Amino acid sequence: MYQIEIAGGRRLAGSVPVHGAKNSVLPILAATVLGNGTSVIHGCPNLDDVDSSCEILEYIGCNIKREGSTICVDASTIGKSCIPEEMMHKMRSSITFLGSMTARLGTAEMGTPGGCELGPRPIDLHIQALEKIGVAVKERCGRVETRCDSFVGGEVHFDFPSVGATENIMMAASLARGETVITNPAKEPEICDLQAFLNKMGAKISGAGTDCIVIEGVPVLHGAEHRVIPDRIVAATYLCAGIMTGGTVELTETNPEHIHAVTAVLRDMGASIYTNKHAVLLYAPQRIKPIKLLRTMPYPGFPTDAQAMMTAALTLADGTSMIEENIFENRFRHAAELSKMGADITTRGNVAVIRGVKRLVGAPVTAMELRGGAALVLAGLCAEGISTVSGTSHIDRGYGSLVEDMQSLGAEIRKIGKA
């Protein structure tokens, strides 16, 4: 596996497009299983997790064609109802195949999902929601088995607005008899994108992005054509890179509304930010201002997926900042690696206290998970000297062209070793 080598100290400047959203394309690829026909998905980023989803689709019998950022999925030939354990363990979002496969085939069997090690992420909410619409679920020996002869609409309430569980019940209930009502669902833009795609397939879903989603079941779904939304976490990452390097960065092909919580914090840190319908322009301040308290929350709050990059940015603030992580239990693993670069971070439970330093110093560091890995790359961009980031397989799960995009903005960064 290659490493990323960065010679820090270069001010970023320029314009770069934002690729399609990882957290949107993955459930949409799972949803293609619901249609008896071919779906065409545009804007699919070149990511390891996308490759893993296509691998699952091919294994269960779908025909896949890829050309650039477009993936065609012919689900009319689907024939298998089980997914091997090794495929499931490659990514967390593989669990969204549970709802779509059960709805299409009446049964599904798969191992528990993998992904980044961010603390306990049980699938209880997925199972409880599916049981509300008539699915029988068994868990044994690390595997989940579902069976349903007849989906019947029902009422599903989430005590916590789980993104994956919301997606699973939206897909499964699309083919149920009658109406399904989800209260307190996840409100992320990716939920709205999934609703748009499912409705193009012939589903009848409304309310995504609100406190209540209503699904009127239909007998069959068909293939559809769709373009996924831009990746808001990639956008947040690149904006953090801009403020950390004292740069001027423009993001195109993005949606400023989806990252309002991030740009609001960046403005509080001193950045000047201008937006139009599809672009964001950031001018970095001379010195980053600290943030008294930043809490990660479900959308539309500050996204947990952007927390690591914001932690990295606040290491350079003129004062002390505090971040409270409220989504995952184990999401400060990057703090110890940032400390190797001269950052002053103290973590206790779900809180990190970040005392700003005047400079970071290049060092060899290791990515422990996806977003933490991106944070280390950002730290390397502004550190004095050379930084080397290992564990890049994590980064490849969520960024299709991080090194290339930073190069286009003027960073001195490259991949070394075998890709």
Side-chain angles (χ1 to χ4, degrees):
M1 175 55 63
Y2 72 91
Q3 296 176 313
I4 297 176
E5 183 183 82
I6 312 149
R10 299 285 293 271
R11 176 180 177 273
L12 298 188
S15 177
V16 65
V18 175
H19 64 60
K22 163 187 179 279
N23 291 334
S24 188
V25 69
L26 299 181
I28 284 175
L29 286 174
T32 62
V33 169
L34 295 164
N36 186 16
T38 299
S39 293
V40 181
I41 314 301
H42 301 291
C44 301
N46 182 24
L47 305 175
D48 286 353
D49 277 8
V50 174
D51 294 340
S52 297
S53 290
C54 289
E55 184 182 6
I56 290 173
L57 289 167
E58 288 182 324
Y59 179 84
I60 62 177
C62 299
N63 288 316
I64 307 293
K65 292 182 180 179
R66 299 180 70 169
E67 185 174 340
S69 63
T70 296
I71 299 177
C72 300
V73 183
D74 180 0
S76 62
T77 55
I78 184 172
K80 295 180 181 178
S81 61
C82 68
I83 302 175
E85 192 169 333
E86 60 270 19
M87 291 184 181
M88 290 295 295
H89 283 180
K90 289 183 179 180
M91 59 178 182
R92 174 68 186 175
S93 63
S94 57
I95 193 62
T96 53
F97 280 93
L98 190 66
S100 60
M101 288 176 62
T102 304
R104 174 72 186 279
L105 302 171
T107 183
E109 180 181 348
M110 58 191 67
T112 52
C116 293
E117 296 179 7
L118 304 175
R121 295 193 284 181
I123 61 172
D124 295 0
L125 293 176
H126 302 254
I127 292 171
Q128 292 166 8
L130 290 171
E131 289 176 335
K132 292 288 181 63
I133 60 171
V135 179
V137 184
K138 292 182 181 179
E139 289 185 88
R140 59 184 181 184
C141 301
R143 294 190 66 78
V144 182
E145 300 176 20
T146 62
R147 182 168 296 277
C148 187
D149 297 325
S150 179
F151 284 96
V152 180
E155 295 184 1
V156 177
H157 174 78
F158 291 119
D159 292 330
F160 181 85
S162 164
V163 174
T166 300
E167 292 166 342
N168 251 329
I169 201 66
M170 287 172 66
M171 287 187 268
S174 295
L175 292 175
R177 287 188 293 108
E179 182 180 86
T180 298
V181 178
I182 310 173
T183 53
N184 195 34
K187 301 176 183 178
E188 276 73 1
E190 294 80 14
I191 299 293
C192 299
D193 206 27
L194 178 62
Q195 173 181 282
F197 175 65
L198 289 171
N199 284 344
K200 289 178 181 178
M201 298 179 77
K204 296 180 179 179
I205 308 175
S206 61
T210 73
D211 292 325
C212 180
I213 297 176
V214 179
I215 306 152
E216 186 66 37
V218 297
V220 294
L221 295 175
H222 51 75
E225 187 171 2
H226 184 74
R227 177 173 292 278
V228 301
I229 59 174
D231 196 309
R232 59 195 174 97
I233 306 304
V234 169
T237 301
Y238 291 5
L239 291 175
C240 285
I243 198 172
M244 290 179 71
T245 62
T248 300
V249 173
E250 181 188 33
L251 305 183
T252 61
E253 299 178 30
T254 191
N255 189 327
E257 292 183 6
H258 294 170
I259 54 172
H260 178 75
V262 174
T263 53
V265 173
L266 290 169
R267 285 191 174 103
D268 289 342
M269 294 165 66
S272 298
I273 297 177
Y274 304 91
T275 65
N276 61 33
K277 189 174 182 180
H278 299 294
V280 180
L281 175 62
L282 176 142
Y283 292 96
Q286 286 189 340
R287 188 76 195 270
I288 295 172
K289 297 178 182 178
I291 298 296
K292 184 176 181 180
L293 177 62
L294 174 62
R295 295 184 174 95
T296 64
M297 300 291 288
Y299 190 86
F302 190 89
T304 179
D305 279 354
Q307 177 261 109
M309 293 79 81
M310 192 59 69
T311 299
L314 290 171
T315 64
L316 297 173
D318 188 17
T320 299
S321 305
M322 184 180 298
I323 295 181
E324 182 180 292
E325 173 58 56
N326 294 306
I327 307 300
F328 294 121
E329 293 182 11
N330 192 21
R331 201 145 206 190
F332 287 124
R333 301 175 71 190
H334 51 280
E337 298 299 300
L338 287 170
S339 296
K340 295 177 183 178
M341 305 177 74
D344 186 352
I345 305 173
T346 302
T347 62
R348 184 172 182 178
N350 69 328
V351 174
V353 177
I354 308 147
R355 299 170 185 84
V357 297
K358 290 187 177 180
R359 65 189 180 97
L360 296 176
V361 180
V365 290
T366 302
M368 303 294 185
E369 44 88 14
L370 167 55
R371 305 305 174 184
L376 297 178
V377 172
L378 300 195
L381 293 174
C382 60
E384 292 184 5
I386 304 295
S387 298
T388 305
V389 181
S390 304
T392 54
S393 59
H394 294 294
I395 297 172
D396 288 343
R397 292 184 46 245
Y399 297 89
S401 52
L402 178 60
V403 170
E404 294 79 7
D405 288 342
M406 293 302 104
Q407 287 173 340
S408 74
L409 294 172
E412 192 171 338
I413 181 174
R414 62 175 183 148
K415 298 178 181 178
I416 58 176
K418 292 184 178 181

